[in-house]
Amino acid sequence: MAALGMACAAAGCLAVAWWRTRRRWQSAVGERGWLLERERESASRSAVAAERDRIARELHDIVSHNVSLMVVQAGAAREVLGTMPDEAAAALRAVEDAGRGAMTDLRHLLGLLAPSQSGDDAAYEGGGEVDGPVELAPQPGLDRLGPLVDRISFAGLPVEVRISGEPCPLPQGIDVTAYRIVQEALTNALRHGDGGEAEVTVRYADHALRVEVLNTGPSVLTGTAATRTVPRHGEGTGRGLLGLRERVAVYGGDLDARRRLGGGYRVRARIPLDRP
């Protein structure tokens, strides 16, 4: 009887221990599931925020560049409308081309945000003047510097381009980032500069891509640059430079933008090419 009693007590202890262990395991599983759910929610919020930032940068790049060109060209057309009608007509054609380009880019972006049920790019019907369906195309890279420089030069800012090193194929993200750096710097020089000219240097090194954009302007040493505290077309929000720094930081690079003592502005970026 004593042995039977001890066996029953041992069995009871084992049952209690098993029950407690199972309760702890269920509690741990439930807590882990709650933590995983919280992590998924946090990751989803981070992804949404990152996508919003990316869309904001793309909208800024599209709208700021094209609208700046349109404002400059419209002002030039107004100045020479009565005396040089041919030049005024050319400027107005440039305004039209910039507007159509902006509408095409915006239709691409909005088509990606709100695709049709069939999945094509013709979902957004915003009443634009773009005729026919818009075909998807890769984002611009350094191979599109020529048309960009031509547009800026026609708008009134002469640009000289220098390529050093051996050009090599670049990852798509780095290629787009380098193009956006040049686009933003030249657009700012056109909007806020007082004449002068610009110089774009793209340097292919063994382990990094270097991009530098310089533009001339009033010198801070003479005091002429400090007399104008508000840019010609109003003060920007700074989203452009902030977006560029974020783009470059994604690839482990750095970007420096500052006013030059000799006059004008300098934007310089270094993007590693061998980062894993």
Side-chain angles (χ1 to χ4, degrees):
M1 293 296 292
L4 181 59
M6 292 179 61
C8 291
C13 291
L14 289 176
V16 171
W18 175 83
W19 180 78
R20 289 178 177 177
T21 302
R22 181 174 176 81
R23 287 292 300 272
R24 286 195 296 267
W25 177 78
Q26 290 177 341
S27 177
V29 169
E31 183 177 358
R32 184 175 182 182
W34 178 79
L35 290 175
L36 289 175
E37 185 65 25
R38 291 291 300 273
E39 290 179 359
R40 282 195 293 267
E41 292 177 358
S42 178
S44 298
R45 288 194 296 267
S46 298
V48 170
E51 187 65 12
R52 286 176 176 172
D53 290 340
R54 186 190 69 82
I55 294 171
R57 289 194 297 266
E58 291 299 327
L59 284 174
H60 175 275
D61 293 337
I62 293 171
V63 175
S64 177
H65 173 68
N66 288 285
V67 173
S68 296
L69 288 180
M70 293 168 68
V71 169
V72 172
Q73 293 289 3
R78 178 177 54 81
E79 293 290 337
V80 301
L81 185 59
T83 57
M84 294 183 287
D86 293 339
E87 284 76 4
L92 291 176
R93 283 194 297 270
V95 172
E96 181 182 2
D97 292 340
R100 288 182 178 275
M103 287 298 299
T104 299
D105 292 340
L106 287 173
R107 189 174 179 183
H108 280 164
L109 183 59
L110 294 173
L112 294 175
L113 294 177
S116 65
Q117 295 181 354
S118 62
D120 56 23
D121 191 40
Y124 177 72
E125 300 295 341
E129 297 297 329
V130 181
D131 298 328
V134 180
E135 295 183 359
L136 292 176
Q139 288 186 299
L142 291 178
D143 59 335
R144 300 294 298 168
L145 274 185
L148 172 64
V149 168
D150 291 341
R151 291 196 300 269
I152 296 293
S153 299
F154 186 78
L157 179 68
V159 181
E160 180 181 356
V161 179
R162 297 180 179 178
I163 307 293
S164 63
E166 185 66 27
C168 60
L170 299 172
Q172 183 180 5
I174 294 179
D175 201 15
V176 173
T177 298
Y179 177 89
R180 295 302 190 193
I181 291 171
V182 177
Q183 182 187 53
E184 179 68 18
L186 292 180
T187 301
N188 287 340
L190 180 65
R191 292 174 58 193
H192 307 308
D194 291 325
E197 56 187 19
E199 178 181 310
V200 177
T201 302
V202 179
R203 183 175 296 108
Y204 292 86
D206 292 336
H207 304 289
L209 176 71
R210 298 180 183 270
V211 180
E212 184 179 67
V213 182
L214 306 174
N215 71 284
T216 59
S219 174
V220 298
L221 299 177
T222 62
T224 56
T227 59
R228 182 172 59 88
T229 58
V230 180
R232 191 167 46 190
H233 298 299
E235 188 68 36
T237 62
R239 181 181 293 275
L241 288 178
L242 178 62
L244 289 181
R245 287 192 175 94
E246 292 175 351
R247 286 176 183 268
V248 174
V250 167
Y251 301 101
D254 54 83
L255 182 140
D256 178 71
R258 64 181 64 191
R259 186 177 293 277
R260 303 168 64 196
L261 291 178
Y265 217 76
R266 182 196 74 193
V267 177
R268 178 182 295 169
R270 177 186 178 276
I271 308 176
L273 297 179
D274 55 357
R275 187 166 179 254

